[in-house]
């Protein structure tokens, strides 16, 4: 089992757009997940800090997101709207 974690903070004027982009790709991501995998996004109380957690069976499962055009749109825009860019961390279950 693997866990991929991304954390970032967006500019105040981009927060609503980021939520819209997440809502556009998240249902599609959930449809593409393999059994035993999950993907969730959380937002802090300030509405600007986001945490994405992707739990997946095989290391190569992270490639699933690349198959979703709305995810590419999300990535392009979030990189421009970030105050603190995404920090990616990967974990393997012990």
């Amino acid at each position: 089992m693997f866990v991929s974690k991304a954390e970032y903070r967006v500019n105040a004027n981009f927060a609503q757009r980021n939520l819209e982009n997440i809502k556009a790709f998240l249902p599609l991501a959930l449809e593409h997940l393999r059994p035993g995998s999950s993907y969730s996004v959380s937002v802090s109380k300030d509405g600007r800090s986001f945490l994405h957690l992707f739990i997946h069976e095989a290391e190569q499962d992270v490639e699933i997101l690349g198959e979703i055009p709305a995810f590419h749109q999300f990535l392009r825009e979030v990189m421009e709207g970030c105050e603190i860019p995404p920090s990616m961390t990967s974990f393997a279950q012990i």
Side-chain angles (χ1 to χ4, degrees), residues 27 30 47 79:
L30 296 176
M79 294 310 290

Side-chain angles (χ1 to χ4, degrees), residues 31-66:
E31 287 176 15
H32 284 80
L33 292 181
R34 294 189 175 100
S37 297
S38 66
Y39 193 101
S40 65
V41 183
S42 301
V43 62
S44 65
K45 289 182 183 181
D46 70 6
R48 298 174 54 202
S49 299
F50 292 84
L51 171 67
H52 294 241
L53 284 176
F54 184 20
I55 300 171
H56 43 100
E57 293 283 328
E59 196 167 9
Q60 66 271 18
D61 286 350
V62 295
E63 298 171 8
I64 292 169
L65 298 175

